[in-house]
Amino acid sequence: MPTSPGPSTGRAPRTRGLWRTGALAGAVTLALTTSLGAVPAAADELPGIGEVVMSDNITHVANVPKPAPFDTQAAYNTDLAFTGDYVIDGNYNGFVIYDISDPTEPGIVSKVLCEGGQGDISVSGDLLYFSVDYPRADENCGSPASNAGNADAFEGIRIFDISDKSAPQYVAAVRTDCGSHTHTLVPGEDGKTDYLYVSSYAPSANFPNCQPPHDKIAIIEVPLDDPASAAIVNEPVLFPDGGNHDQPGLSRPTQGCHDITVYPERDIAAGACMGDGILMDISDPVEPVVVERVQDENFAFWHSATFSNDGKKVIFTDELGGGGAATCTDQTAPEHGANAIFTLKGRIGPGANDPELNFAGYYKIPRLQGANENCVAHNGSLIPVQGKDYFVQSWYQGGVSIIDFNNPARAREIGYFDRGPLSEQLSMGGSWSAYYYNGYIYSSDIQKGLDVLKVEDRRLKQAEKVEYTEFNPQTQPHYKPGRG
C-alpha cells in the first residue's frame, strides 16, 4: 500500500510552508478492481511469434525497420522526441531522424552513429540533447567503450545541432556524475535558456565519477545562443535522508532518480526515483524543491511519471524486473509491474497549501503475455482530450495500451496493439516508448523499428484538434483544442 515517508526538502532547509507534517501521512488501502485481472488465455490463444494483433479501433499504418548500423539485437531503440514534421528515435548506437509529414510513409532523413547506451533524447528548436549512460573513452562520437572505473571516461549529455535534419552536427558534451540514464528538458522562461534535469544512479565506491551516496540530480544550463558553453549549474540533493533503502522487494534502493516529468505551465515536476515517488516545485528551475514523497510496497522500481492535463492526477510506473522480465503472466500479481495512479490535493508554489498525493488505484494490461515476452509498464503520454484523461503507454512485448483513467480507481484498457513474441526464448524486445503526436501514435520498438498507429475512437476524436510544433513527452505541455 502506498505511504508517505514524510517531508523531504531536497537540500538545506528552505522554509516555504510546503512540507507535510508528521513522519507518516498514513497508509491507503484500495481493493483491486476487475481492471487489474488479466484476461484468461490458453497458450494457443496468445499471438504467435511475430504475429500482430490489435483492437478494432487501432490501425497499424506503418513500420520502418531499424536501419544499419542500428539493426543489431544489442542496438535497442529507445525514446522519441518530435519537432514539426519529424520524429527522432533514440538508440543505443545514436539516433535516427524520420520525416513524418505523411505518417503512413515515414522516411529516414538521417542517421547519426554516436554510441553511448540508453539514448534518451529531447529536442529544443535546432538542438538535440542525448543521454550517454555507458562509459566512453572520451566525449566524442566514435570513441571506444571504457569502464566506470576509469576517471577519464565520459558519461553525460551530448548536444547536437539539427537545424539541417539531413546532417546533424555534434556541438558539445557535459559530463555528469554516474552519466545520464535519462534527462528532462525544462525550458527557461526567458526563451534564451534550456535547463536539463539529468537523472542517473547505481553509484559505487569503485567508480571515481559515480561515488555514493548519489541522492541528487544534475542540472545543466544551456544558453541557446551558445550551446557549446553548456555547464552544470546545480546538483541538488533530493534525498538528504538517503531515500528508500529498506523496503523489501526493491530492485535498487533510492540513489537519485530514474526519470522526471516536468509540467512547466504549472511549475511542478514528478520524479520516479527507484524507491520513491516525489513531487517538486520547479518555479525556480535551478532550485527544485521536493514537496511530497510517497512509497508503495508493491513497487520494485519507480520508473516514470505523467500528470493529467489538469494536474490533479499522477500516473507512476513500476518497472519490475528492469524491463527484461516476463511480468505480464498469470505468475505475477496484477499490482506488480503496474501503474499506480494518485490524486493530487492542494497546489504547489509560493503561498500554496501543502500538496498531498493519495493513492487511487493500479492499472496493468489485462492481456496475458507469454513467459518468453518481457513485459512491464513503461513510457507513455497523454492523449490530448480536454477535460478527459486518456493515456497511451508502451509495455515492451506487451505492446501498446490505450488507457482510460477518468476514474483513477478503475482505469481500463480501451485499445491495444500487440506483437507476438520475438522467439521461443525470452529476449529483449517490444515497445520502449509509445506517444500520441498530431493524430497518430508512434511506438519505438526495441527490435522491430518505428511503428505508426492510427486510433479511431469517438472518445479520442477531440485529440485530433490539438497540434504540436514540438513535443518532448517528459516536458509535459498543457493542451487546449487547436493548440499543443
Side-chain angles (χ1 to χ4, degrees), residues 134-387:
Y134 286 6
R136 313 300 296 183
D138 57 50
E139 65 188 32
N140 295 310
C141 294
S143 62
S146 184
N147 65 76
N150 176 8
D152 296 324
F154 170 78
E155 295 178 274
I157 294 289
R158 289 183 175 130
I159 303 173
F160 295 84
D161 182 333
I162 57 168
S163 53
D164 181 353
K165 303 294 187 296
S166 66
Q169 300 296 312
Y170 177 68
V171 174
V174 180
R175 184 193 306 272
T176 57
D177 287 353
C178 300
S180 173
H181 192 73
T182 66
H183 72 270
T184 303
L185 170 65
V186 186
E189 292 185 0
D190 61 5
K192 300 178 181 179
T193 308
D194 282 342
Y195 299 97
L196 303 179
Y197 288 1
V198 177
S199 297
S200 56
Y201 56 91
S204 168
N206 297 321
F207 301 160
N209 299 320
C210 187
Q211 291 286 297
H214 183 75
D215 297 315
K216 62 183 182 179
I217 61 172
I219 301 177
I220 296 173
E221 182 179 77
V222 185
L224 297 182
D225 61 355
D226 184 18
S229 67
I232 294 174
V233 292
N234 195 14
E235 295 179 290
V237 174
L238 304 182
F239 300 96
D241 66 350
N244 184 6
H245 282 237
D246 301 324
Q247 177 181 312
L250 287 182
S251 298
R252 290 178 180 271
T254 300
Q255 298 168 322
C257 292
H258 177 275
D259 210 345
I260 295 170
T261 291
V262 298
Y263 197 167
E265 181 157 315
R266 295 177 179 269
D267 286 333
I268 57 177
C273 303
M274 307 170 74
D276 294 273
I278 61 173
L279 287 178
M280 292 187 285
D281 175 354
I282 60 167
S283 51
D284 181 349
V286 179
E287 296 283 348
V289 179
V290 176
V291 295
E292 172 66 314
R293 179 175 156 202
V294 288
Q295 296 170 357
D296 186 337
E297 65 184 16
N298 288 313
F299 265 39
F301 190 90
W302 293 70
H303 176 276
S304 52
T306 303
F307 292 97
S308 59
N309 191 52
D310 64 7
K312 295 181 180 180
K313 300 171 188 172
V314 186
I315 297 175
F316 287 102
T317 69
D318 174 25
E319 195 184 40
L320 172 67
T327 72
C328 299
T329 69
D330 57 7
Q331 302 300 306
T332 304
E335 64 272 25
H336 294 164
N339 298 331
I341 306 172
F342 290 77
T343 57
L344 174 57
K345 292 185 178 180
R347 294 187 304 107
I348 297 173
N353 55 330
D354 290 354
E356 181 178 317
L357 284 171
N358 293 301
F359 172 73
Y362 294 108
Y363 170 83
K364 190 171 184 178
I365 58 171
R367 294 168 287 108
L368 281 176
Q369 303 294 304
N372 55 343
E373 295 179 279
N374 59 302
C375 175
V376 75
H378 214 235
N379 295 344
S381 72
L382 297 181
I383 298 178
V385 179
Q386 189 179 31

